[in-house]
Structure formats: C-alpha cells, structure tokens
Amino acid sequence: MVLAIENEELHTVGWIFLQNIEYEHGRASIGILIAPESRGKGYAGAAMRKMIDIGFKQLRLNKIYLTTRGINEQAIGLYQKTGFVIEGQLRNHAYSDGRYYDTYIMGILASEWKD
C-alpha cells in the first residue's frame, strides 16, 4: 500500500508505504521517503500517523515495524515521537561513506497506538 504525501499546494513531497503485509501474523513494515527540501516541515509525522492508523484500524494489523540506520537521528526521533520503540540493534550492519553503522529495528503494537 503506497500513499503520496502532499504539501498545502497539493504537490507531492514524498511517499509512505506499508509493505510485507502478513495478515496471518498481523504485521507489516512501514517506510517513508520525503524530498530533502520538504524535510522538517511536519509532513513525515502526519503521514506516519495516518498510515499507522490505516494499518491498525482498517487492515487490523497487530504490529508495524521498520528498520533505520543508527546515524539517522532525526528519523529515530520522529519514530519514537510517533510511538515506535527500539526492539533490536544490528551492529555494524550498514556500510556508507567508508564507515559501518548500526541498524535499529523499531516497532509499535496496536495496543500501544494512541490516535
């Protein structure tokens, strides 16, 4: 499931998606892409809340999860503010610009979701 993220002028500034939807296990992963010039304007938080709401209320999922690099502190902050918790850490899991970085696995349960 993919949704476009639009700004006030109805221009697309990004995408949010649920993938790997496994109804038998009640889970899906979530991902988001925001254009660099549109970051920090609240679009990501609003889109995350909307998609999580769809996942829990319409698709009746029990869990939504994601992975992110440990270096991406802005994203981790957004995810935690939205209600995600760090469930695991893969050490030196991603290589970028000559360095290895940890990857975090984060999740939120339907019982934790506060609309």
Side-chain angles (χ1 to χ4, degrees), residues 2-111:
V2 180
L3 298 176
I5 302 168
E6 295 178 334
N7 64 13
E8 296 79 13
E9 293 81 34
L10 303 180
H11 294 111
T12 300
V13 297
W15 302 95
I16 188 160
F17 52 90
L18 286 176
Q19 64 182 4
N20 303 316
I21 300 172
E22 298 177 78
Y23 291 107
E24 66 273 17
H25 297 294
R27 67 181 178 223
S29 65
I30 193 168
I32 188 166
L33 300 166
I34 300 286
E37 64 274 8
S38 297
R39 293 177 187 161
K41 298 181 180 178
Y43 301 123
M48 289 289 289
R49 289 187 297 276
K50 181 65 175 174
M51 187 61 94
I52 292 167
D53 210 50
I54 290 169
F56 289 145
K57 292 181 178 174
Q58 293 182 26
L59 302 181
R60 297 190 174 122
L61 298 173
N62 180 60
K63 180 178 186 173
I64 298 174
Y65 63 95
L66 59 86
T67 61
T68 188
R69 289 186 188 166
I71 193 171
N72 196 347
E73 294 175 11
Q74 186 176 5
I76 292 169
L78 167 68
Y79 302 145
Q80 288 175 324
K81 184 177 178 181
T82 307
F84 284 82
V85 297
I86 296 173
E87 297 182 337
Q89 178 179 353
L90 302 171
R91 298 178 305 140
N92 287 340
H93 190 71
Y95 186 80
S96 179
D97 295 326
R99 291 191 53 204
Y100 287 96
Y101 296 97
D102 294 350
T103 295
Y104 291 102
I105 301 164
M106 302 180 75
I108 185 169
L109 302 176
S111 61

